[in-house]
């Protein structure tokens, strides 16, 4: 049985999957009675977009002292993400003036993410990670989807090999929020990239295709997938307001709608595939209610981070059986 972990994009709302996965890892350590267990070691393929891409890169960051072992625990990564959010979605007075409040340039400076990624992830390349992975981005130069992965480096060599810290920046370069990322491959070639959420905010289907490529001939019945979202958004847009929307008014709602609709469509497709294959229980989608947390992907104010953490804890408290069942399945496969 091959296990796949897929994590959606969602900006600061990435705290939700980060917190749930941190709890899952703690359960795995406790139930497996092994303090060295890491979430990356319990899955055969990890996939992520944007926030999920950053988390995937962090889960796979190799320990310099033992490259086959992930460097950080999922709890440490949750702390990193809570620390990164306020740095990432911050506007200095000088930047507000220079960007005319985001009208003449991206809403936020990319410097915080670049500095943070290089400090935490270091100079490790994706070819050096211990597990197969898939992280999404979109190439503005070739106008094609780009899927970073360890397997691609085996096929295409240095031209497909990028630093994990650069990949984290590219997968989260959301249009209008951050400028496109220009990152170099190991061979010196450069790519001009934006957030993979423009086509796969929920990367589950991309991950399934990658799994079929990695393990040809293996039927869907021998795959199990855990897909984790960044919070269920139920905010309605009423006709009496949207009927008067112009270009500026639609900027925030359209991103919200596209992110949600793409994720929901992908969830539907994956769920139907596993159902048709006769193994509906092999697919688990976690999309925690956001409760009173703000759904905006750039609200990294302390009060909203606390609300996101509370929403994740609420999901954990009300889904103990599900989380224990996931742990049992992962531990059985690893034994």
């Amino acid at each position: 049985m091959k296990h796949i972990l897929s994590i959606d994009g969602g900006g600061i709302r990435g705290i939700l999957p980060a917190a749930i996965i941190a709890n899952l890892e703690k359960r795995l350590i406790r139930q497996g009675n092994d303090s060295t267990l890491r979430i990356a070691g319990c899955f055969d393929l990890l996939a992520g977009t944007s926030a999920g891409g950053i988390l995937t890169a962090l889960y796979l960051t190799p320990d310099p002292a033992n490259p086959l072992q992930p460097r950080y625990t999922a709890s440490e990564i949750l702390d990193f993400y809570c620390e990164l959010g306020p740095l990432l979605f911050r506007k200095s007075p000088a930047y507000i003036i220079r960007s005319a409040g985001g009208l003449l340039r991206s809403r936020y400076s990319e410097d915080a993410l670049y500095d943070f990624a290089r400090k935490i992830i270091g100079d490790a390349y994706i070819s050096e990670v211990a597990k197969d992975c898939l992280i999404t981005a979109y190439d503005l130069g070739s106008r094609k989807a780009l899927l970073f992965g360890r397997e691609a480096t085996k096929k295409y060599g240095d031209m497909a090999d990028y630093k994990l810290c650069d990949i984290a920046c590219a997968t989260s370069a959301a249009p209008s929020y951050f400028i496109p990322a220009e990152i170099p491959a190991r061979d010196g070639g450069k790519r001009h990239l934006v957030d993979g959420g423009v086509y796969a905010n929920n990367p589950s289907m991309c991950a399934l295709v990658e799994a079929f490529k990695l393990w040809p001939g293996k039927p869907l019945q021998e795959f199990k997938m855990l897909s984790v979202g960044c919070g269920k958004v139920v905010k309605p847009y009423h006709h009496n307001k949207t009927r008067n929307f112009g270009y500026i008014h639609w900027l925030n709602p359209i991103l919200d709608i596209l992110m949600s609709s793409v994720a929901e469509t992908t969830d539907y497709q994956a769920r139907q595939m596993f159902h048709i294959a006769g193994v509906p229980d092999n697919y688990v989608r976690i999309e925690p209610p956001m409760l009173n947390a703000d759904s905006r992907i750039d609200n990294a104010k302390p009060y909203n981070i606390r609300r996101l953490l509370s929403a994740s804890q609420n999901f954990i408290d009300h889904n103990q059986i599900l989380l224990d069942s996931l742990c049992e399945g992962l531990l059985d496969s690893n034994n």
Side-chain angles (χ1 to χ4, degrees):
M1 190 69 68
K2 295 296 183 181
H3 290 265
I4 305 167
L5 174 62
S6 174
I7 312 171
D8 288 13
I12 192 61
R13 286 161 42 194
I15 286 173
L16 288 164
I20 292 167
I21 292 169
N23 181 270
L24 186 63
E25 185 179 85
K26 287 179 180 177
R27 290 169 187 267
L28 287 164
I29 290 171
R30 184 173 63 249
Q31 292 185 23
N33 195 28
D34 182 356
S35 62
T36 66
L37 270 179
R38 297 292 178 266
I39 200 70
C42 297
F43 287 90
D44 300 287
L45 172 64
L46 286 81
T49 290
S50 194
I54 294 175
L55 291 173
T56 298
L58 288 168
Y59 294 139
L60 292 170
T61 298
D63 187 338
N66 181 7
L68 295 179
Q69 179 76 359
R71 184 173 182 177
Y72 303 113
T73 66
S75 293
E76 288 174 322
I77 290 168
L78 170 60
D79 290 340
F80 291 153
Y81 206 89
C82 290
E83 176 188 345
L84 172 62
L87 298 174
L88 197 57
F89 298 112
R90 181 177 64 86
K91 298 177 183 177
S92 67
Y95 188 80
I96 293 174
I97 294 171
R98 183 157 58 98
S99 66
L103 292 175
L104 302 179
R105 202 175 186 273
S106 60
R107 301 185 204 185
Y108 302 99
S109 170
E110 70 283 0
D111 294 344
L113 178 57
Y114 277 67
D115 293 343
F116 185 89
R118 281 162 175 74
K119 175 184 174 184
I120 301 300
I121 299 176
D123 292 324
Y125 280 85
I126 197 167
S127 61
E128 299 166 353
V129 301
K131 282 293 177 78
D132 287 303
C133 59
L134 180 147
I135 300 176
T136 68
Y138 185 79
D139 191 326
L140 293 176
S142 65
R143 293 295 300 271
K144 291 182 179 178
L146 178 63
L147 303 173
F148 297 103
R150 185 181 70 169
E151 187 66 18
T153 66
K154 297 177 182 178
K155 187 174 182 180
Y156 300 110
D158 287 352
M159 68 179 293
D161 201 8
Y162 296 82
K163 288 184 179 180
L164 279 176
C165 61
D166 289 337
I167 292 172
C169 295
T171 189
S172 54
S176 82
Y177 287 90
F178 300 100
I179 66 169
E182 185 178 64
I183 66 171
R186 195 189 279 265
D187 70 351
K190 292 185 177 180
R191 296 270 196 164
H192 183 215
L193 306 168
V194 294
D195 193 322
V198 299
Y199 67 92
N201 200 56
N202 175 347
S204 297
M205 289 302 292
C206 293
L208 270 181
V209 172
E210 183 71 7
F212 286 130
K213 289 166 61 180
L214 287 169
W215 300 290
K218 188 174 284 290
L220 186 61
Q221 289 86 346
E222 294 185 28
F223 291 106
K224 284 191 174 183
M225 171 176 281
L226 172 59
S227 173
V228 190
C230 289
K232 180 70 174 176
V233 179
V234 293
K235 176 184 176 182
Y237 293 100
H238 297 293
H239 176 69
N240 63 338
K241 288 189 176 181
T242 57
R243 66 191 296 268
N244 296 315
F245 275 10
Y247 175 76
I248 298 297
H249 300 95
W250 273 112
L251 284 179
N252 279 328
I254 200 66
L255 287 171
D256 178 22
I257 292 167
L258 286 173
M259 284 174 55
S260 296
S261 60
V262 168
E264 289 166 5
T265 301
T266 303
D267 173 43
Y268 170 80
Q269 292 167 336
R271 192 178 302 277
Q272 291 303 308
M273 284 184 64
F274 280 95
H275 178 77
I276 292 168
V279 285
D281 293 340
N282 282 16
Y283 174 77
V284 175
R285 171 71 172 171
I286 291 177
E287 186 73 287
M290 296 190 63
L291 303 182
N292 64 344
D294 190 339
S295 65
R296 288 177 294 175
I297 65 173
D298 60 343
N299 186 348
K301 300 287 176 52
Y303 79 85
N304 201 46
I305 289 177
R306 289 193 297 270
R307 289 178 179 179
L308 289 166
L309 289 169
S310 294
S312 62
Q313 188 60 52
N314 177 77
F315 177 87
I316 291 165
D317 291 343
H318 287 84
N319 291 274
Q320 303 279 345
I321 295 174
L322 169 63
L323 294 170
D324 284 339
S325 175
L326 287 170
C327 286
E328 290 171 10
L330 290 168
L331 290 171
D332 287 344
S333 292
N334 283 338
N335 292 334

